[in-house]
Amino acid sequence: MKHQSPKRIIIVEDDNIIRNAFVTLIQQSGDYTVANAYSNAEAAIKNVKDDAPDICLMDIELPGMNGIEAIPKIKVLSPNTQVVVVTVYENDDLVFKALCEGASGYLTKNMPPQKLIDSLKELENGGAPMSTNIARMVVSSFHKNRQSPLTARELEVLELLSSGKSYSTIADQLFVDKETVKSHIKNIYLKLEVHSKAEAIEKAKKSKYI
Amino acid sequence: MKHQSPKRIIIVEDDNIIRNAFVTLIQQSGDYTVANAYSNAEAAIKNVKDDAPDICLMDIELPGMNGIEAIPKIKVLSPNTQVVVVTVYENDDLVFKALCEGASGYLTKNMPPQKLIDSLKELENGGAPMSTNIARMVVSSFHKNRQSPLTARELEVLELLSSGKSYSTIADQLFVDKETVKSHIKNIYLKLEVHSKAEAIEKAKKSKYI
DNA sequence: GAATGCTCACCCTTTTTGGGGGTAAATTAA
DNA sequence: TTAATTTACCCCCAAAAAGGGTGAGCATTC
């Protein structure tokens, strides 16, 4: 088998001390080479085709374009690059935005140095490295709220309603009359204290009933 | 500081050899105590209030009730118990079902033994232990498909449509005329080759455009 | 400078839908 | 034996959705 050349990494991080620490840490590991290190996203994007990185470590708060916006731009120019966010922010919103934009991992800067190298290995193995809290946030985002005021049938109806189906389609799918669906929806509105489909869906999603 | 009593664990696994291996492994770690070990979900559910486990290791394929169905029953009877699925299955459907039902982690049986103990520690630290492939599946589930035939504006409209909003509400939110929204939706239907809201939403979600 | 694609906006029509108000039987669970 | 759930029906009517077509303004691309 042919020898694998060491994985190429770029770093986007505006703090000089942290950036240099990452460079040193990664170079010393021996298994990776730092193709380039940037203090802003624009420069990284401009050079990403030449750098041809396997992995990009991306900070979020950066001068100019922020790290979240930078992710899709990197991915378009270099689709095989895996972007891992490395930041101090553990805010739900930022985490899910980063993942939606295409991040393959999300690390917080308070991790021990060895964890960074472990994470790179995890990426190579087809994983998605995440800090402890981030993994929990991600998994929790799937959990449903079981204290729902709605009955099982009502939840079924609301689920279908939230997928854009009409009353009659829902009725067909549940093998009941359209008027029955209407009754369920009336009860859903009563319980959720709303007066329209959109409000019901919004409230149910926010409360994680569906 | 007061001494913490060792975390209590129950195991639900129908294969005697594997179950006993887990028991031995966990007992030997010293940091955990096996409160009970069951070969089926029904028995585990019956005793979960008495066992009062901090953690439940749950297999999926079991005689009688399967592990996925068992998760919510365990969580209702003992809300502070963290359920971790331990299985051979890496199927997307099962993973997401397990997480939706309330699993706090998902491990595959091909892991090295030490990984199980590490995972228990990870749980204690507020994490969500996952095998490499599972973590990638979970993170990938957030990624959007960037080869969408829809324009940015059309995606915006479709996103709002999929949240149950009416044409006029969408129009207000985007500061355009209702007729403009209609035009966009007509184009969306054309491009996606559908003839209704529900079909458009279904196709867009399936293709991960939204 | 012609062509294309995108965003925006208006017109017409039709059927369907959604939401409000009631009522009530059968089943199931507490 | 109450209470809750699921089912189903009636009325009404405004609003919404979907189909059709047209076209201006703008940016990009060829």
Side-chain angles (χ1 to χ4, degrees), chain A residues 151-154 176-177 179-180 182-184 187 191:
Chain A
T151 67
R153 198 55 158 177
E154 285 162 358
V176 296
D177 196 277
E179 289 299 321
T180 303
K182 251 179 92 172
S183 294
H184 285 309
N187 289 327
K191 290 182 181 177

Side-chain angles (χ1 to χ4, degrees), chain B residues 109-134:
Chain B
K109 285 180 178 168
N110 55 6
M111 65 187 160
Q114 182 55 36
K115 171 78 178 166
L116 181 68
I117 303 300
D118 292 346
S119 294
L120 299 178
K121 297 241 163 72
E122 191 71 9
L123 256 194
E124 266 193 279
N125 294 332
M130 284 174 276
S131 300
T132 304
N133 293 344
I134 305 301

Side-chain angles (χ1 to χ4, degrees), chain A residues 30-61:
Chain A
D31 301 319
Y32 302 94
T33 173
V34 177
N36 243 319
Y38 302 95
S39 61
N40 65 80
E42 289 82 353
I45 291 165
K46 203 193 303 182
N47 294 324
V48 71
K49 283 203 161 182
D50 292 330
D51 289 340
D54 299 291
I55 298 170
C56 168
L57 300 182
M58 176 73 73
D59 189 17
I60 286 187
E61 75 167 342

Side-chain angles (χ1 to χ4, degrees), chain A residues 130-146:
Chain A
M130 284 173 277
S131 300
T132 304
N133 294 344
I134 305 301
R136 173 60 64 99
M137 282 167 54
V138 167
V139 165
S140 293
S141 77
F142 289 93
H143 293 170
K144 297 279 164 277
N145 183 355
R146 294 186 185 285

Side-chain angles (χ1 to χ4, degrees), chain B residues 91-122:
Chain B
N91 175 275
D92 296 52
D93 236 45
L94 286 178
V95 172
F96 295 118
K97 266 188 194 140
L99 296 182
C100 288
E101 295 298 344
S104 295
Y106 197 112
L107 302 171
T108 44
K109 285 180 178 168
N110 55 6
M111 65 187 160
Q114 182 55 36
K115 171 78 178 166
L116 181 68
I117 303 300
D118 292 346
S119 294
L120 299 178
K121 297 241 163 72
E122 191 71 9

